[in-house]
Every structure is written in C-alpha cells, then in structure tokens.
Amino acid sequence: MNTVWALSGVVIKELYRRKDFYVLLVLTGLITLAAGSANFFNDAKIVVYLKDLCLLLIWISALVIAVGTAARQIPAEREQRTIFPLLAKPVTRWQVILGKFLGCWLACGLALVVFYAFFVVVTGSREHHWPLLNYFQALWLQWIMLGVVIALVLFGSIIFSAPSANATICIVVVVGILLIGRHLNKVALQQPEPLQTLIYVVYFLIPHLEWYDVRDLIVYDHALISWWHCGLATLYGAVYVLLFLFVAWLAFRRKRLSV
Amino acid sequence: MSVILKTEKLRVEYPNRESRQGRKVALSGLDLEVNAGEVFGFLGPNGAGKTTTMNVLLGFLPPTSGTASLFGIDVRQPIARQRIGYLPENTYYYKFLTAEELLRFYARIFGLTSAEADRRIAELIQLVELGHAAKRAIKTYSKGMQQRVGLAQALINNPDLLIFDEPTSGLDPLGRMKVREIIQRLKNEGKTVFFSSHELGEVETVCDRVAIINQGELKVRGSVADLVERHQANLEKVFLDIIGYQPQPVS
Amino acid sequence: MMKASPPLVLALLLAVCFTVATSTQRHALNWSTRAQADSVLKVLLGDGRRMFANHFFTQADVTFHSGYYPSIFDRREKPSTSPMQSGHDDHDDHEAEAGHVHGEHCNHGEDAHEKEMAFLNQPRDWIERFGRHFFVTDHTHLAKGREREILPWLRLSAELDPQRVQTYTVAAFWLRTQLGKVAEAEEFLREGLRANPQSYEILFALGQVRYDHHQDVVRARNLWEVALRYWKEQESGKPEPDLSSLREITLHLARLEEAEGNWRRAIEHLKVAKMVSPQPELLQQQIEELQQKLAESP
C-alpha cells in the first residue's frame, strides 16, 4: 500500500502545481460573485439561482479536473517515459493503476472541499443558515461519482492512446449518463424489439451517475437523504470503481512497454 | 562466485509492423550470466537487442521463450527488482517534482522509513553534487543535472545490482568522467553493475567482463583483458571484427 | 533585390487591412442584421437566445416546484396548467367571477395540474426505485414569499427574449400579489410594453396594477379598453383566437363599470364575456341582475 500512497502523492502534487484547478476555481468564483451582485427587482433575499449556478459550475469544474487529470496520467507516464524507472522498481502494474486512481480521486476530493467551502460561504452569507450535513452529503456523493468517472477514464486511457480522445469520449459518456441515464428504461419501452432489450441491457449495465447529482435537493433545501441510502450508493459506486480498475489492469497488464 | 543476473535461451519476438506478416526476432537464445561484484559491459550495434534484453530484465517485456532471473527470482516477479537500481538512457522523471521529492517518492516505494530516506537522500544529493538544486523543480535542470538525478534515484535503495542503459549518453566530458567515477566507486563498494554502452573506451576502462551481441545473438563473452589479448587489438577493433564490420576504402 | 524592412511590411499590411475593412463594411452590414443588434445578447446569440429564454422560463417553473418537474422523457409537453404560469389566470378568474365559479373552477385547475405533475408512476425496476431517494419526488409549490426565487429566471428570460410577453405578465403577477412589489411589477410591465407596444396581455396586466393597487379607475379603464381594441385587431381574425384573454379583459371591464354604476356598459362587456366563457349561464345570471338594476334605476 506504501507504493500506492507514494504514487497517489505524486498525482496530488501534480494537480496543485498545475494551473487548471486554480483557473477553474477563480472562474467559478468570479462568475458566482458576478451573478450574486445582480439586482433582481430590488430583492436581496433571492438565493436559489445563485446556489444553482454555483453548484453547476462546481460540477463542471470537478468533472473537468477529474477527467483532465485522470486522462493524462498513464499516457503521460508512457509518453514522458517516467513509467520505465517506475516499473523498474518493485511496483506492479496493478499498483500503478491503483495509485493513479487514488491520487486522482484524493486530488478531486481536495478540489471539491475547496469548491464547497466557497459555496458554503456564498450561500451562507445570503441565507444565514448552514445545512452543513446536507452539503456534506452532496460533496460525498459527488466525490463517489468522480471516483467512478476517474476509474472509467483510467480504463479509457489504456485503450485510447490520445488523452484528448479519451477525455472527449469519457465526457460525452458521463454527461450522457447524467442527462438520460435514469430515463433509459422509459426510452426502451417506446422502442421495438430488439432495440428495447438492447437499451434495457445498457440501462442495467451503465453506472447510474445521476444518483449522485443531488444538487436539486441542496438548491431547494430538501431534507437529508437517509444515510443508509447514501451508504448503498457508495457501495454501488465502489463496485463500479473496482470493475473499471480491474478491466483497466487487465488491459494494462498486456500492454507491451519498450524503452 | 554467485550469479546475480542470468538469462537462459532468452528469445523475444515482435509482431513485424513493417511487413505486417511474420514476426521479427529481437533476441534469439541469449545466455548471460553476471556475477556478484563485477562490472559487466553489454555491447552491440544499434538494433542488436541490447535494449530488448534490458526490457526483459526489468519486466517491461515478457520473453517469448527462455528465462531471465535476477538474484535467482524470475524477472516477472516485482520482488526481483527490490535490490536493483535502473538508470535509463535518457532522463525520464516527473518534471514538476524537485530532486528531493523525486528521491523521497522512490524511497517510499522501496519502503524506506522516513529517517532512513532522509539520510539516504542527503547522501545521494551530495554524491551527485546537486545540493544547490535539490529543492528546485527538475524541469529547470540541465541534461547533465537530470542524468545525475537519475543516478541518485537508481541508488536510492542501496541496490546490489545496477542496470545502466547508456549512462553517459549525451553528457559532456566532465559529466562522463563523473559517471565513470561513480561506477568505479560502486564497484569498489562491491556492487554489481550491468550496463550497455557505445563508448568502447569507457567500457574498456571500467568493465571486468563484456558480452557482445549482434542481431539478437550473443557473439562473444569474456573478460576485457582476454578479448584484447586473444584478438591482439583494442576493444573497438575487437567489437568491429565481431559484428562483421568491413571498412570501405575511402575513394 | 531590395531587402524589405519588417516595419514597412507591417505598415503596408495594416494599410491594406484598413482599406479592405472600410470598403467592405457597408456590404457586410447587409449580410446580417445581427451585427447591428441593439443588445449584446442578441449579437452574441442571435435567434438562439429565444431557446435560452424558453429554458429560463421553464427553469422558473422548475424553481416554483422546488425541483420537482417532469423531463421530456416523462411527458412530451410541459405542464400547461402550472400555477406559476396559469396561477395568474386562476387568480383573475377568481377575482372576476368571484362568488360564482370560485370553488369549481379553481379546483378544476388544481386537479388538472396535480394530474399533470403526477408523472412519477410506480417504479419499473430497482434502479428507478432506488434512484428516487436522490432527487425531488414531492410536488410542492414555493410559498410564503419564497416565490421570489423564480424572479431571476424570468428576468433572464426577458433579457434574452424581450418579445416573450408571458414572462412580463407572470413576473408581474408574483411581484404584485405575493411579494408586495407593485412598483417593480409596474416597472417591469412598462419595460415589456416598450418591447411589445401592442401587447393586450401587458396592457391588461398594467390595468390590473392601476385598478387593484392604485384604485386608478380612469387609467385602468383606458388600459383595458386599449387592450380590448388590440385584442380585436390582432386576434379576431385568427382561426383560434386567444379567448381566455378576451374573457379576462371584458370581465374586468364589466366589474369596473359595475362598480362605477355604469350598468349598461357593464352589461355590454358581460355579453362579450359570456360568448367565450366556459360558464355562460353564470354570466347570463349576472347580466339579468344588472338589467334588473338598470330597469329599477330612475
């Protein structure tokens, strides 16, 4: 596990030494503050639009960071050839995959904490109430979702040689799941066979990332989700993470590496 | 004397990308033995199979047939690499890290304790003379400095076997001299060094034994002194004779 | 060959660019009207801004339902009787036909809305069942002043598509009835009127502001009469005219005239309203009552 932690430490260092995170944080901050300064019919108590906008920006930023960071990890190791001195040490390819995943996931978690801290300050300053447990739930579920996304992207990064192609495909898949994942069963019912069965199979196979998007519950001050269900969603996410990491390892294990 | 590095009937084939049919044989029945405490030079022209051999020894490539072992352990087992240090031909390190961070990262991989890592890093930074730049990002280093970081990382675990791939490639004369000094020092400390090089003068200076391969086949193996005596020529001439080089008359 | 000086070449290129730009500018203006648009949003988005305006208008409805809203997969059309959009009609019906159709009409509207918003059927599988723990499944409406939360979306919608009349009337309704912001409502309606000078809906809403909040009978009457005239000009020739607006305008005019003692004019307006009312018998009853008053008056 020491090796995995060491590898993840490098990924985290890479994230905070690159400009991506800071640019996205500043952009989110600027757009939110600009929107917050707008005057709508002389009513200073309006806050929902601000929460909605800020969370949307956080979601976009987190996805960009997660996909961008994960997509370049293994291709960059191969392209810059850092993989060779690394694998010349007692490091297995499974440890490389796991370390990269853990690093990206922890780095995204850190980024999320910073983003949500900003969100709490902005909304708290308007609403004067602090539903921190709800915010924690939203952050936790988003983090779990990012875990699944990172594992998927890592798998993609072994299949596709160009990080940009992998990132684009993964973004399309993830956004597609977020937007229509939960409706695929309804879509299936309106299709003739065998399309119906095919769509239903896809519906049951894809990771239902939309579960982890609880922005509406936060924006409109709904009650907490039961912790039991949060736990089950975490378990569901963990299964997909392991699945994607396992297939990534299977693909990576067979990759020929030559100096 | 114990054998530290061994290959038996090692064969590696690649899919032939040029002709899209058949397979290209990179190594054909390579038998090598490197004993503890010796400096072993691995020579051959470009495309002879040196890098392929190294790739197999480091676990990057699976052999098509035959075996390769380090310290008696199959090279496919990661633990076989616990006691080795590897210096690649070119500098391949995380450029956003400082030399100190890079060494600490590799120290963690080898399971060194924090105190042990501190001590080892300090020693190595001093050995490769990077004290003034240890806290600077590697991306700001010159090629020579990066090669020295490479040497330091190869030594972080105080390895018993060092595998160097063209260790002096691209270095200025002073840099080459320093690398040679370090190899000599490692030899004096009883370490085993296995390295490939095109610099035959350098090989002649530091190696106890050499092996010359050409077109994936081992052509000759023996001590430098024996080879020179047997062929009544310097190592460069010996090398050229063995690989079958025919000088063209200058018109 | 003479060696060209880089600053000279640069100056020459700049001169060529300037000449080409000035000579093609007047032609370029004819290629598209977008560049001459008066608003930045129009320049940036072109006609695509209407799509965004629609989105923000729907977003206001989503906000009104605290996130509980059908997707395009749940239904093909968005709820047509959402209280955010049609609450205004219900409310005015209630005011106009007070004491007559109140209970029946409002319940009918709410029932229809409830029915349309009951888009969450029994879950079809465990994924759907479990997923419902993570999104809004209760049909609620914003209340107690929280209706203010829909305003930014309406404001944005109006910015993007100033020709969308409903945005102004819906926003004005909530501003004046629930949030006590009559001045803001009137200002927003006037802004809408500047963009849509012949909108009978906005004129009608402005009349309501004058009548309900300023007791300004004269201006309210003027506004509603102009609204009625524009309605006739714009809608009467259409195969499917906007009858509900005609009913609103005429009923309000009838109530105004009745309150002012102009029973004959009130009867005239009620007769028009009766022709388009879903409950003509109720209006006929009111007409008869007014005719009786008229007969009894000296």
Side-chain angles (χ1 to χ4, degrees):
Chain A
M1 205 55 200
N2 222 10
T3 303
V4 174
W5 284 115
L7 276 160
S8 67
V10 171
V11 180
I12 295 169
K13 279 198 181 86
E14 185 195 3
L15 178 83
Y16 72 68
R17 285 180 186 171
R18 284 176 69 103
K19 294 185 186 77
D20 317 21
F21 166 67
Y22 303 102
V23 169
L24 288 165
L25 182 66
V26 169
L27 263 180
T28 301
L30 283 179
I31 296 172
T32 308
L33 294 176
S37 66
N39 173 20
F40 295 104
F41 304 104
N42 305 319
D43 198 326
K45 290 182 188 163
I46 295 173
V47 72
V48 162
Y49 82 101
L50 202 58
K51 286 161 85 176
D52 204 358
L53 177 71
C54 189
L55 280 177
L56 175 71
L57 292 169
I58 289 174
W59 265 74
I60 294 171
S61 302
L63 257 183
V64 169
I65 291 172
V67 173
T69 309
R72 68 172 172 260
Q73 286 306 317
I74 290 173
E77 286 271 2
R78 293 177 64 185
E79 197 179 310
Q80 291 163 20
R81 302 186 156 206
T82 46
I83 193 83
F84 298 111
L86 180 64
L87 287 179
K89 304 209 164 20
V91 176
T92 63
R93 295 192 187 192
W94 168 245
Q95 283 172 323
V96 173
I97 296 272
L98 209 59
K100 292 293 179 187
F101 167 77
L102 197 66
C104 292
W105 191 51
L106 290 174
C108 285
L110 287 175
L112 275 185
V113 168
V114 176
F115 276 115
Y116 271 82
F118 171 72
F119 175 73
V120 169
V121 170
V122 168
T123 56
S125 65
R126 282 245 177 162
E127 288 186 308
H128 304 295
H129 82 120
W130 316 82
L132 294 179
L133 273 181
N134 299 56
Y135 293 161
F136 172 74
Q137 264 190 352
L139 187 153
W140 174 260
L141 288 170
Q142 188 177 355
W143 194 32
I144 298 294
M145 190 222 64
L146 289 179
V148 180
V149 172
I150 290 164
L152 172 74
V153 176
L154 279 177
F155 168 56
S157 71
I158 290 162
I159 305 296
F160 304 105
S161 49
S164 53
N166 177 32
T168 310
I169 291 168
C170 288
I171 285 272
V172 169
V173 169
V174 169
V175 172
I177 292 175
L178 286 172
L179 292 179
I180 62 165
R182 89 173 200 224
H183 304 292
L184 275 180
N185 56 346
K186 288 166 226 161
V187 174
L189 287 174
Q190 292 161 8
Q191 307 302 320
E193 286 289 3
L195 200 58
Q196 187 181 98
T197 309
L198 191 73
I199 297 176
Y200 240 113
V201 168
V202 171
Y203 172 75
F204 280 107
L205 277 181
I206 55 166
H208 282 270
L209 303 177
E210 74 277 2
W211 291 351
Y212 304 88
D213 180 3
V214 293
R215 280 177 296 152
D216 279 352
L217 300 180
I218 296 293
V219 168
Y220 302 111
D221 289 330
H222 286 278
L224 273 177
I225 304 162
S226 86
W227 292 103
W228 165 244
H229 291 121
C230 267
L232 282 178
T234 305
L235 200 65
Y236 175 85
V239 169
Y240 272 94
V241 166
L242 281 177
L243 179 80
F244 287 130
L245 292 182
F246 183 70
V247 288
W249 171 69
L250 282 181
F252 191 41
R253 198 180 57 147
R254 290 175 189 174
K255 279 268 174 215
R256 278 173 166 266
L257 301 171
S258 318
V259 178
Chain B
M1 203 178 269
S2 66
V3 176
I4 279 191
L5 184 157
K6 189 174 181 182
T7 66
E8 275 182 307
K9 296 187 175 57
L10 193 64
R11 183 178 179 87
V12 175
E13 292 175 4
Y14 291 112
N16 198 339
R17 285 184 185 167
E18 283 166 19
S19 66
R20 289 183 178 270
Q21 54 185 340
R23 292 173 74 80
K24 185 186 169 196
V25 179
L27 281 180
S28 173
L30 182 71
D31 290 314
L32 273 183
E33 276 187 7
V34 178
N35 298 316
E38 70 178 348
V39 178
F40 193 96
F42 192 45
L43 313 177
N46 287 338
K50 299 193 299 293
T51 302
T52 304
T53 309
M54 292 221 173
N55 285 341
V56 172
L57 289 172
L58 294 163
F60 303 158
L61 271 182
T64 310
S65 64
T67 58
S69 61
L70 299 172
F71 305 100
I73 302 168
D74 190 310
V75 288
R76 283 172 288 195
Q77 303 291 324
I79 195 70
R81 299 190 286 278
Q82 182 70 30
R83 289 161 63 196
I84 70 164
Y86 167 59
L87 176 69
E89 181 181 354
N90 291 313
T91 50
Y92 312 133
Y93 307 105
Y94 306 102
K95 297 195 188 312
F96 51 88
L97 295 181
T98 65
E100 209 176 282
E101 285 169 341
L102 183 83
L103 294 179
R104 195 168 299 282
F105 163 60
Y106 288 129
R108 280 187 76 183
I109 286 179
F110 283 106
L112 268 60
T113 62
S114 185
E116 212 175 341
D118 285 346
R119 187 182 55 78
R120 192 83 191 128
I121 291 166
E123 272 175 28
L124 290 171
I125 293 280
Q126 199 185 359
L127 175 75
V128 297
E129 298 171 14
L130 278 175
H132 62 289
K135 291 188 191 308
R136 251 170 48 200
I138 293 172
K139 66 183 167 204
T140 63
Y141 285 14
S142 68
K143 178 154 176 61
M145 287 165 86
Q146 291 192 30
Q147 192 73 343
R148 280 185 274 158
V149 172
L151 257 176
Q153 66 80 29
L155 297 170
I156 189 73
N157 56 329
N158 196 13
D160 295 318
L161 168 65
L162 285 138
I163 298 179
F164 292 163
D165 190 1
E166 306 280 355
T168 54
S169 158
L171 294 183
D172 61 16
L174 190 64
R176 284 166 191 232
M177 182 63 77
K178 279 186 180 167
V179 170
R180 239 175 271 160
E181 277 173 17
I182 289 172
I183 292 175
Q184 197 60 49
R185 192 170 157 171
L186 291 167
K187 184 186 170 184
N188 296 341
E189 285 175 15
K191 309 284 185 196
T192 310
V193 182
F194 176 84
F195 79 99
S196 73
S197 179
H198 289 300
E199 296 295 324
L200 298 174
E202 180 180 282
V203 172
E204 203 168 354
T205 316
V206 296
C207 288
D208 299 314
R209 287 201 305 143
V210 293
I212 299 173
I213 63 166
N214 192 26
Q215 294 177 335
E217 286 176 7
L218 182 67
K219 295 294 179 189
V220 74
R221 181 175 51 182
S223 74
V224 176
D226 280 353
L227 286 174
V228 169
E229 195 181 319
R230 204 187 312 156
H231 289 80
Q232 290 294 305
N234 65 11
L235 193 60
E236 185 175 321
K237 182 80 174 61
V238 176
F239 176 79
L240 293 174
D241 283 351
I242 287 170
I243 65 166
Y245 176 74
Q246 297 293 328
Q248 299 292 316
V250 180
S251 58
Chain C
M1 205 173 143
M2 205 178 82
K3 199 178 167 188
S5 145
L8 194 67
V9 173
L10 188 66
L12 197 66
L13 283 172
L14 282 173
V16 170
C17 287
F18 184 76
T19 313
V20 172
T22 49
S23 59
T24 54
Q25 192 219 10
R26 65 197 164 84
H27 303 293
L29 288 175
N30 297 328
W31 296 337
S32 162
T33 54
R34 191 158 149 176
Q36 312 154 45
D38 48 353
S39 97
V40 179
L41 288 170
K42 199 169 177 181
V43 174
L44 284 175
L45 301 172
D47 281 345
R49 72 207 153 89
R50 292 207 168 86
M51 191 182 72
F52 289 102
N54 274 340
H55 169 76
F56 287 125
F57 191 82
T58 308
Q59 188 59 38
D61 210 11
V62 175
T63 302
F64 184 71
H65 289 93
S66 296
Y68 177 83
Y69 209 72
S71 69
I72 52 165
F73 300 100
D74 294 309
R75 55 202 292 153
R76 298 226 173 267
E77 289 171 13
K78 60 184 179 184
S80 55
T81 55
S82 165
M84 188 207 86
Q85 294 165 47
S86 66
H88 147 230
D89 296 337
D90 287 348
H91 185 80
D92 292 333
D93 283 351
H94 165 68
E95 282 183 345
E97 300 181 21
H100 303 288
V101 290
H102 170 245
E104 191 190 21
H105 189 80
C106 283
N107 284 342
H108 169 75
E110 281 172 16
D111 286 349
H113 176 63
E114 281 296 333
K115 202 173 163 187
E116 285 191 57
M117 291 300 277
F119 57 89
L120 287 180
N121 301 316
Q122 280 295 310
R124 294 168 186 83
D125 44 68
W126 71 269
I127 288 176
E128 197 176 335
R129 187 177 304 114
F130 185 67
R132 287 192 186 176
H133 295 289
F134 302 93
F135 62 90
V136 186
T137 49
D138 300 326
H139 182 193
T140 56
H141 295 153
L142 293 180
K144 295 177 186 167
R146 289 205 70 206
E147 297 92 334
R148 67 168 63 87
E149 301 294 357
I150 68 171
L151 296 175
W153 306 121
L154 294 174
R155 175 86 246 184
L156 272 172
S157 180
E159 287 289 333
L160 287 163
D161 186 3
Q163 273 70 50
R164 194 188 168 102
V165 168
Q166 204 183 2
T167 313
Y168 300 101
T169 55
V170 169
F173 168 76
W174 291 107
L175 279 167
R176 71 184 178 84
T177 61
Q178 303 298 316
L179 304 171
K181 290 182 174 288
V182 177
E184 283 81 0
E186 189 167 0
E187 193 185 325
F188 195 45
L189 284 170
R190 294 213 173 276
E191 189 184 315
L193 194 62
R194 278 194 291 279
N196 309 276
Q198 297 199 317
S199 164
Y200 54 85
E201 294 104 319
I202 295 177
L203 285 165
F204 170 69
L206 268 171
Q208 282 183 301
V209 173
R210 297 314 305 174
Y211 190 72
D212 294 345
H213 300 283
H214 299 290
Q215 285 75 45
D216 186 351
V217 176
V218 178
R219 292 185 72 182
R221 181 192 284 127
N222 286 344
L223 286 162
W224 284 338
E225 282 179 348
V226 176
L228 187 60
R229 197 174 77 230
Y230 282 150
W231 187 95
K232 285 176 182 162
E233 284 174 15
Q234 293 163 32
E235 297 289 318
S236 56
K238 286 186 181 173
E240 286 185 24
D242 174 10
L243 298 179
S244 70
S245 290
L246 176 64
R247 195 178 73 237
E248 300 273 336
I249 298 167
T250 49
L251 280 173
H252 277 75
L253 273 169
R255 299 288 160 251
L256 181 145
E257 298 298 0
E258 185 185 351
E260 291 299 302
N262 302 326
W263 294 325
R264 199 179 301 279
R265 293 182 71 180
I267 291 166
E268 283 169 19
H269 288 307
L270 280 173
K271 280 181 180 169
V272 179
K274 195 184 105 180
M275 289 190 287
V276 293
S277 172
Q279 279 107 1
E281 64 282 2
L282 289 170
L283 293 181
Q284 180 57 40
Q285 196 183 333
Q286 289 178 54
I287 290 169
E288 285 165 12
E289 282 169 15
L290 284 177
Q291 281 171 337
Q292 196 178 344
K293 279 184 189 174
L294 194 63
E296 286 168 4
S297 65

